[in-house]
Amino acid sequence: MEEKVDNACEWCKENWQSIVSVFVTIVIVVGIVILSISTFGTAIPVIAVGVVGAIVGISGQLISDIISCAITGDWDGNWQSYIGSAIGGFAGGVLLLLTNPIAACSAEAAISTFFGENLENITGGQKRSTFEILFDTGLSTETAFFSVALSKITGKLSKTLSKKIPVFKRLSGINSYDASFKMVITKLKQGSIKKFHYKTIRNGVISGLSGGALENIASVFLMGLRNGMTNGESCHKINEK
């Protein structure tokens, strides 16, 4: 019994920063949800955009992992990153009700990376220093910020595809998945409808994934560049020895 207590104390001592970080992140996300519900007076739109955000976050992580694996031949995904993406996506979706897309997507990326990497430290995944976690969080946030700022590129691409390829016809315009999703959410916020259909979730997920395509590609590129720099530094240190 005493040995177990000692091991638990040692584990807490080694991981206290990540434990605090995970706890604080959860408190922040809960605070965002409470603020949103109190602002609109109903939990329905908050749940809707949160669920959509979580699904988009997990799907985006999967797409990034697949692209990265296709390029490097190694699968870097883990369950901690998917939980981080779900929590970050949920928070980002809710923040869309309170802020603008750039702020919401930047916060989503920051929360996903920060929570996921600290969770890895706690659960025995890849160990990262506080500096590495903050660096990765900043990199993810910048990637999301610039990808949303440059979303006009994907918007024009969607319009072009919708004209030439029938399957993409609902990616842009007044009848797009995005427009349909936003219309239902607006009605939920106004109280003119009291529940949402599964099609609302579908429309939100498709619009979120199509709009986040640039972010996923940029994320893979920048994280690959970061890993390349890290490996280069490690090789340099080995050669010095």
Side-chain angles (χ1 to χ4, degrees):
M1 183 65 182
E2 183 178 350
E3 183 179 353
K4 291 182 178 179
V5 173
D6 290 339
N7 290 337
C9 291
E10 184 64 26
W11 178 81
C12 290
K13 183 179 178 180
E14 292 177 356
N15 299 283
W16 71 270
Q17 289 179 315
S18 290
I19 294 171
V20 171
S21 296
V22 166
F23 177 76
V24 170
T25 304
I26 292 174
V27 171
I28 291 174
V29 173
V30 172
I32 291 171
V33 173
I34 293 174
L35 176 62
S36 185
I37 292 175
S38 62
T39 299
F40 301 109
T42 175
I44 297 176
V46 177
I47 294 173
V49 296
V51 169
V52 167
I55 296 174
V56 170
I58 294 173
S59 301
Q61 180 67 45
L62 178 60
I63 292 171
S64 296
D65 288 338
I66 291 174
I67 295 174
S68 178
C69 182
I71 295 173
T72 65
D74 296 323
W75 182 264
D76 295 326
N78 53 64
W79 65 269
Q80 295 95 332
S81 63
Y82 284 94
I83 291 180
S85 296
I87 292 176
F90 189 93
V94 174
L95 280 172
L96 277 174
L97 296 174
L98 301 171
T99 59
N100 56 67
I102 291 180
C105 289
S106 297
E108 173 189 346
I111 292 173
S112 298
T113 302
F114 187 74
F115 186 92
E117 293 194 355
N118 276 295
L119 186 61
E120 278 191 77
N121 280 358
I122 294 174
T123 57
Q126 181 178 344
K127 288 289 184 179
R128 293 181 175 86
S129 66
T130 301
F131 174 79
E132 288 177 315
I133 292 175
L134 292 177
F135 179 84
D136 288 347
T137 300
L139 186 61
S140 298
T141 305
E142 290 178 11
T143 302
F145 178 86
F146 286 112
S147 65
V148 175
L150 296 173
S151 60
K152 291 183 179 180
I153 295 176
T154 53
K156 290 181 179 179
L157 178 61
S158 297
K159 290 181 180 179
T160 302
L161 290 174
S162 64
K163 292 178 181 178
K164 296 183 177 181
I165 306 175
V167 73
F168 292 110
K169 66 181 181 179
R170 290 200 62 191
L171 290 182
S172 63
I174 58 175
N175 294 319
S176 66
Y177 292 109
D178 184 57
S180 298
F181 176 68
K182 289 179 178 177
M183 180 184 68
V184 173
I185 295 302
T186 298
K187 290 182 178 180
L188 288 170
K189 287 164 60 177
Q190 294 172 344
S192 56
I193 57 176
K194 299 297 182 182
K195 58 183 180 179
F196 58 93
H197 197 264
Y198 81 93
K199 289 183 178 180
T200 301
I201 303 295
R202 180 204 65 186
N203 294 343
V205 170
I206 294 176
S207 65
L209 288 175
S210 61
L214 185 62
E215 179 184 347
N216 291 328
I217 294 172
S219 176
V220 171
F221 175 77
L222 290 177
M223 291 306 291
L225 182 62
R226 183 264 186 194
N227 291 336
M229 292 171 60
T230 302
N231 292 336
E233 290 175 358
S234 298
C235 291
H236 180 66
K237 290 178 180 179
I238 291 173
N239 291 332
E240 284 182 341
K241 292 180 180 179

